Amino acid sequence: MLVWIDSSRALCMCLIYLAHAYAYCDLFREEWKGGLIIVTNMFVVVSGYLFYRHHDKCGSGPNVLRQDVQNVACRLVLPTLLFSFALYFPKLLFNGENFEWGVFLERVLGGKTFWFTSALAVCQLLYSLLFFLTFIPRRLHLLIVLPLAAAGIFSVADCNLWRWQDGLEFMLYYALGGLYFMYEERVNRWFAMCRYLWGLAFAALLAVYVSHPVYSWLEPGFVVFQLACFPMGIIVFRLSPFEKLSYIGRNSLAFYLLSGLIPAVFATLYGRWLGTESAVVPLLVFASALGTSLAAVYVLKRWLPWTTDFRKLL
């Protein structure tokens, strides 16, 4: 695996843990939401890059489609269902809620507990079908994906099982990751000429957006920001000195599945001991949650590796 892939995923995951720490301490600011959206979408772009890289080596066809479907089922759908079920009842006790069948079915079987992996599963499955069913050049995939992404972005349907609307939107970011893979050398040469300037531009653009956030695709500023951030963000990630965090990047699925409950527990504990008004508490929650997750992921990978990849049971 490329080092920058692991380091970029690790950075995204750390920022997600930090955002959850502030959210569970009730200190998350609305203007930070834009930055969190970008972090999430950047993760999807990297996943799209890897998807295209994999298919560039393996090609397409029935066998590849079968492997893709198995990968979605064993590495996204089943782990999401397993962790949703395993954490549902502890969450009920922790929050003092009563059991309701409707809520249980929606959150666990409906993919509502872990929205990101649910949406990513939908996106990856549809992209697998796109590679299998069409003979359109991959450079034109974006033209096919745009109406599908628009359908997800502007959908007003009440039913959003397995976050299919977000999954359709994710296809846009998958396509952007694919475009970067196909033109990687050209893009890198272009950015290499003034890479630090582009890094500063990315930081400035993010700062401007966070200070004037908009979240609607009907807003021109939001569209420009979303599309402009990805090429610059990828280059910044490729420059990021986070190789020591690569373990988090290699096991990002496990860290994500633990990123809700563990920060919530520490936020409650520190809130009782120190209160939630102190600016130090979210940082303590972040550090404690990330450290605990490191230990938990090590245990899972050492003794229960199938929990994040059911192919290991076959």
Side-chain angles (χ1 to χ4, degrees):
M1 183 64 68
L2 301 175
V3 174
W4 76 270
I5 294 289
D6 292 334
S7 63
S8 62
R9 284 179 162 182
L11 179 59
C12 288
M13 196 53 56
C14 288
L15 291 174
I16 289 172
Y17 267 75
L18 185 62
H20 285 181
Y22 274 90
Y24 287 121
C25 291
D26 295 324
L27 294 175
F28 188 84
R29 298 180 182 179
E30 182 66 19
E31 56 265 28
W32 295 349
K33 183 179 177 182
L36 186 59
I37 291 174
I38 291 302
V39 168
T40 303
N41 293 343
M42 281 302 308
F43 197 100
V44 182
V45 171
V46 173
S47 298
Y49 173 92
L50 290 175
F51 189 86
Y52 273 79
R53 185 170 179 262
H54 169 73
H55 280 268
D56 186 63
K57 295 180 179 180
C58 299
S60 59
N63 291 332
V64 176
L65 177 62
R66 188 182 308 111
Q67 292 174 1
D68 285 343
V69 173
Q70 185 183 67
N71 184 57
V72 171
C74 294
R75 298 199 69 249
L76 287 174
V77 175
L78 293 177
T80 296
L81 291 173
L82 173 65
F83 277 80
S84 297
F85 179 80
L87 298 179
Y88 182 76
F89 293 101
K91 281 185 177 179
L92 284 185
L93 296 175
F94 186 76
N95 296 324
E97 300 175 353
N98 295 323
F99 175 81
E100 296 181 15
W101 273 109
V103 176
F104 171 80
L105 293 175
E106 181 182 38
R107 292 183 181 177
V108 176
L109 299 183
K112 292 292 185 70
T113 300
F114 297 104
W115 76 272
F116 181 78
T117 50
S118 298
L120 197 61
V122 172
C123 171
Q124 193 166 318
L125 181 60
L126 291 175
Y127 239 103
S128 299
L129 293 173
L130 177 64
F131 269 78
F132 175 71
L133 296 176
T134 68
F135 300 95
I136 299 175
R138 295 177 184 180
R139 290 177 175 80
L140 300 180
H141 277 178
L142 185 62
L143 298 179
I144 300 176
V145 165
L146 279 175
L148 293 174
I153 291 169
F154 299 111
S155 173
V156 294
D158 293 330
C159 178
N160 194 18
L161 293 178
W162 280 87
R163 302 299 293 246
W164 65 268
Q165 296 168 353
D166 298 290
L168 290 177
E169 181 180 349
F170 279 4
M171 294 186 74
L172 171 61
Y173 310 127
Y174 247 57
L176 291 175
L179 285 175
Y180 175 62
F181 170 76
M182 288 183 283
Y183 297 102
E184 184 175 4
E185 292 185 3
R186 297 181 188 179
V187 173
N188 288 350
R189 284 198 302 268
W190 185 49
F191 278 95
M193 294 185 294
C194 48
R195 56 184 182 178
Y196 294 109
L197 180 61
W198 285 113
L200 291 174
F202 174 73
L205 185 62
L206 184 61
V208 170
Y209 179 77
V210 167
S211 62
H212 299 85
V214 288
Y215 308 121
S216 172
W217 280 93
L218 298 176
E219 295 282 348
F222 184 76
V223 177
V224 171
F225 176 75
Q226 290 280 65
L227 298 182
C229 266
F230 294 120
M232 290 192 291
I234 287 175
I235 300 301
V236 171
F237 279 147
R238 296 203 68 150
L239 297 173
S240 60
F242 296 100
E243 288 84 357
K244 293 184 179 180
L245 297 177
S246 60
Y247 179 80
I248 298 176
R250 290 195 303 272
N251 299 288
S252 54
L253 174 62
F255 277 92
Y256 169 72
L257 294 173
L258 297 172
S259 68
L261 182 63
I262 293 181
V265 170
F266 278 106
T268 301
L269 293 176
Y270 285 126
R272 291 175 181 175
W273 297 338
L274 304 174
T276 58
E277 298 180 357
S278 173
V280 177
V281 172
L283 299 179
L284 290 174
V285 171
F286 164 72
S288 301
L290 192 60
T292 303
S293 296
L294 279 167
V297 170
Y298 175 80
V299 171
L300 290 176
K301 291 297 179 181
R302 180 70 176 80
W303 288 286
L304 298 169
W306 57 270
T307 55
T308 54
D309 189 350
F310 275 66
R311 291 175 299 182
K312 295 181 179 178
L313 287 177
L314 302 178

